Amino acid sequence: MAGLDPRRRQYLDAMGIEVWVSRVAGAAAVQDSPPQNRQDPPTAEPQSVAIPPGTAPGLNWDALRQRVLNCTACDLHRTRTQAVFGVGDIRSNILVVGEAPGAEEDRQGEPFVGRAGQLLNAMLVAFGRPRETVYIANVLKCRPPNNRDPLPTESVCCRPYLERQIELLSPRLILAVGRVPAQNLLNTDEAVGRLRGKVHRYGPNGIPLVVTYHPSYLLRQPQEKKKSWQDLVLARSVLKSV
Ligand code: URA
């Protein structure tokens, strides 16, 4: 198949996605345009003044990371191995937001490195923007014991960190994977099934936000992968239109 790299083809197969080829261009229809070069987002110098735990005003990437890694704002710091800040290209125009680190992420200090991460990687490759070309972060930076749902107080404590990550990255698209990031970022209690399939807006700058299923859910319900592919197609259309 002309124009489609074999690694991507393999991922698309794993996602159960049929690839079609444009007769005009002869290129695979899932192919994406290369990431655009973007300026570094403006960052502030690390602050030397004491700022309360769970806040992150004006911090640059390094200072924010340090703040998160040393955070004791909620009780999750007592049970974590380490905080999981985020990973990826800080110049990316795409932010993927998940729920919280699981056991493997807590061990390795990186989001989405377990089984769900493998599927997320496949989704991102199918989307045309492999893992290393996006930025990935979670609502919670520390693992909730036994992978329980985040408590509202924990999300509130962590919220400034994600908000600052979004400010620093200033993405053109936020992809919220799963109920927790979707509900947190959109401030709603609607189910994912009702939130997906449309373009939402996040924050004062109205950043386009698309909701899709969490890869862990897709591992349990593989028949929903089709819908998640439709969400990725919607997300791609957003990137093309802004
Ligand atoms: N699930 C998430 O939502 N985030 C991770 O980092 C890992 C699993």
Side-chain angles (χ1 to χ4, degrees):
M1 178 165 307
L4 188 61
D5 112 38
R7 187 174 72 131
R8 193 150 165 224
R9 176 64 210 240
Q10 201 182 334
Y11 279 126
L12 287 166
D13 287 346
M15 286 284 293
I17 296 158
E18 232 176 90
V19 178
W20 55 272
V21 174
S22 153
R23 275 188 235 152
V24 180
V30 288
Q31 206 162 339
D32 200 0
S33 51
Q36 297 189 350
N37 279 338
R38 302 173 74 231
Q39 301 280 319
D40 271 349
T43 58
E45 289 303 311
Q47 296 200 348
S48 52
V49 290
I51 36 181
T55 63
L59 298 185
N60 69 11
W61 281 107
D62 285 347
L64 182 60
R65 175 186 293 275
Q66 285 316 312
R67 185 144 195 89
V68 167
L69 296 185
N70 294 310
C71 182
T72 55
C74 78
D75 278 349
L76 291 182
H77 78 278
R78 298 182 198 285
T79 47
R80 73 184 178 211
T81 304
Q82 58 193 315
V84 177
F85 178 68
V87 73
D89 181 356
I90 58 168
R91 294 184 201 172
S92 181
N93 52 18
I94 302 173
L95 172 65
V96 177
V97 183
E99 176 175 330
E104 202 49 39
E105 290 77 19
D106 174 72
R107 206 171 62 77
Q108 294 191 36
E110 184 172 326
F112 283 104
V113 289
R115 267 188 82 217
Q118 298 303 310
L119 181 54
L120 178 67
N121 291 348
M123 292 163 71
L124 290 172
V125 172
F127 178 53
R129 295 292 300 272
R131 180 181 177 95
E132 60 277 10
T133 72
V134 303
Y135 196 82
I136 305 174
N138 283 313
V139 170
L140 290 195
K141 309 308 186 198
C142 296
R143 181 189 181 208
N146 305 315
N147 299 337
R148 63 156 169 74
D149 278 0
L151 302 175
T153 49
E154 293 160 355
S155 302
V156 167
C157 285
C158 251
R159 176 87 188 198
Y161 300 143
L162 181 59
E163 280 176 359
R164 185 65 186 146
Q165 285 175 312
I166 296 173
E167 262 173 28
L168 287 168
L169 196 67
S170 188
R172 282 168 57 201
L173 171 74
I174 299 174
L175 184 65
V177 295
R179 177 179 57 81
V180 169
Q183 292 184 343
N184 266 268
L185 291 170
L186 296 173
N187 201 18
T188 177
D189 53 11
E190 289 254 40
V192 170
R194 294 181 64 86
L195 293 171
R196 60 169 293 276
K198 55 188 122 161
V199 180
H200 303 268
R201 299 273 160 182
Y202 169 83
N205 297 328
I207 301 169
L209 185 153
V210 171
V211 173
T212 193
Y213 293 110
H214 193 282
S216 299
Y217 172 78
L218 295 175
L219 287 170
R220 295 192 304 273
Q221 306 287 338
Q223 75 281 4
E224 300 286 52
K225 282 182 182 175
K226 249 191 198 140
K227 288 190 200 157
S228 116
W229 174 243
Q230 288 163 3
D231 299 332
L232 296 183
V233 169
L234 174 66
R236 283 165 53 87
S237 74
V238 168
L239 277 182
K240 282 186 179 146
S241 67
V242 287

